[in-house]
Amino acid sequence: MNVAVIGSGTMGNGIAHVFAQHGFAVALIDINQPALDKGLATIGKNLDRQVSKGSLAETDKTATLGRISTHTSLSEGVLNADLVVEAATENVELKLNIFREIDQYAPEHAILATNTSSISITRIAAVTKRPTQVIGMHFMNPVPVMKLVEVIRGYATSDEVTARVMEMSRQLGKTPTEVNDYPGFVANRILMPMINEAIITLHEGVAGVEEIDTVMKLGMAHPMGPLQLADFIGLDVCLAIMRVLHDGLGNPKYAPCPLLVNMVMAGRLGVKSGEGFYSWTHGTKELVLAERFKR
Ligand SMILES: NC(=O)c1ccc[n+]([C@@H]2O[C@H](COP(=O)([O-])OP(=O)(O)OC[C@H]3O[C@@H](n4cnc5c(N)ncnc54)[C@H](O)[C@@H]3O)[C@@H](O)[C@H]2O)c1
């Protein structure tokens, strides 16, 4: 079984890792060799961690790496694929172009999946000549650790293709869950309004950053508070998904909090920019409030 993974960033290298570890031949595709080398280095590091924890044998690590080939040409990389999983940058036009190209070069029988967090599967499927074979395969970060695959059926996705993707996800040791294609699917439709509400709660002065995160951590047994999680996801990503929900569902309850909008405009994006609700300039191990939110 041959799998092509498009994009070797945060999600793509994790997706390539789990497929290769479970015996699939993986063609990993990105736009240049440095991006591929970085993805492979991350896979190597994560496999080393599994070996040192005792959850993977050294020989399995070598075999896993041996199943991954790298390609800078998309048309070559997808040529023998039975399944293509697209995990390139979250941008509609970019993804539509990638799917037009995959559709042209991948074998006729190949299933085309996307790991998009927020773009309509139906819209992506519509630019191909095989909409019944296009589906969402939404892995969670970090891919080798997280059990869920949200399997998203587009308007035209067939029962057979859905069943095959559910089965392949199980072969990876994951728990696939079938949902339909509406804005935010299930994961982000529920998670993002919760994060947005936490920001509204802060904005209205109901409580401070630490208090909000403590209530949700200790009171709801969440592993981290919603504001810390927003910093990890990236406030720009949270805002973009809230806009998809607001535009797509047309309900004012999904309006992004003005504080979230302001923080994104100010470049305070969370971990990736060094500051969001917390300050991350010292690393991600310790929680330090951003200067602005100290009370
Ligand atoms: N990061 C997350 O927590 C997360 C979780 C679930 C889903 N997603 C989704 O996964 C996808 C990838 O996100 P990411 O966080 O891994 O992004 P990323 O920025 O880490 O990686 C994207 C990769 O795609 C590559 N790329 C861009 N254009 C390409 C092209 N034309 N052909 C081949 N490769 C190309 C880039 O060079 C980069 O290496 C997005 O659709 C995102 O919404 C992300």
Side-chain angles (χ1 to χ4, degrees):
M1 181 86 186
N2 296 319
V3 178
V5 178
I6 300 177
S8 63
T10 310
M11 298 305 287
N13 75 59
I15 295 167
H17 172 152
V18 294
F19 273 107
Q21 190 188 328
H22 290 86
F24 294 82
V26 176
L28 182 59
I29 303 161
D30 209 305
I31 45 179
N32 55 39
Q33 199 55 45
L36 288 165
D37 291 344
K38 195 167 160 220
L40 276 183
T42 304
I43 295 171
K45 211 171 54 194
N46 290 336
L47 286 167
D48 281 340
R49 191 173 307 129
Q50 288 173 279
V51 171
S52 66
K53 274 194 195 153
S55 61
L56 191 77
E58 182 71 39
T59 48
D60 290 337
K61 175 196 155 186
T62 315
T64 299
L65 288 172
R67 287 188 203 103
I68 303 174
S69 61
T70 58
H71 307 261
T72 51
S73 155
L74 188 143
S75 54
E76 273 174 38
V78 302
L79 216 53
N80 296 314
D82 302 300
L83 169 71
V84 180
V85 183
E86 174 277 319
T89 316
E90 187 80 344
N91 173 299
V92 179
E93 287 312 320
L94 176 84
K95 287 199 196 280
L96 296 182
N97 282 333
I98 287 176
F99 271 80
R100 284 187 192 103
E101 199 176 339
I102 313 172
D103 192 34
Q104 194 179 340
Y105 293 103
E108 247 174 55
H109 72 273
I111 294 175
L112 313 187
T114 171
N115 186 51
T116 180
S117 303
S118 62
I119 299 167
S120 160
I121 310 303
T122 305
R123 184 169 178 196
I124 291 174
V127 301
T128 73
K129 294 188 187 72
R130 55 180 110 184
T132 58
Q133 288 161 242
V134 177
I135 193 162
M137 234 181 148
H138 188 199
F139 289 86
M140 304 291 135
N141 185 18
V143 182
V145 176
M146 299 292 279
K147 284 279 174 212
L148 179 71
V149 182
E150 194 181 22
V151 174
I152 305 134
R153 293 183 70 131
Y155 191 85
T157 313
S158 73
D159 290 344
E160 190 205 333
V161 164
T162 307
R164 285 184 55 206
V165 166
M166 297 285 285
E167 181 48 36
M168 278 188 277
S169 305
R170 285 188 203 100
Q171 286 171 22
L172 304 177
K174 304 290 185 201
T175 304
T177 302
E178 187 182 323
V179 313
N180 288 318
D181 180 29
Y182 288 98
F185 317 132
V186 169
N188 282 322
R189 180 162 176 168
I190 296 174
L191 175 65
M192 286 304 162
M194 184 191 73
I195 287 176
N196 194 48
E197 196 61 35
I199 302 171
I200 295 171
T201 308
L202 173 71
H203 185 53
E204 291 182 353
V206 179
V209 170
E210 283 171 309
E211 289 75 13
I212 291 168
D213 275 357
T214 302
V215 166
M216 297 306 285
K217 260 192 300 195
L218 303 187
M220 317 299 156
H222 289 192
M224 68 173 78
L227 299 174
Q228 184 186 354
L229 181 58
D231 274 4
F232 272 99
I233 293 171
L235 300 196
D236 51 339
V237 174
C238 294
L239 177 59
I241 297 175
M242 283 312 295
R243 288 198 161 129
V244 167
L245 294 178
H246 194 215
D247 292 348
L249 298 166
N251 188 322
K253 76 178 177 180
Y254 297 111
C257 176
L259 174 60
L260 172 63
V261 176
N262 261 357
M263 288 177 74
V264 172
M265 285 194 296
R268 303 293 202 275
L269 307 180
V271 175
K272 66 177 137 186
S273 75
E275 189 187 298
F277 298 104
Y278 296 90
S279 169
W280 301 101
T281 42
H282 51 283
T284 54
K285 294 278 177 253
E286 193 195 342
L287 272 187
V288 178
L289 267 186
E291 211 46 53
R292 186 187 175 94
F293 296 111
K294 284 190 179 149
R295 306 206 289 177

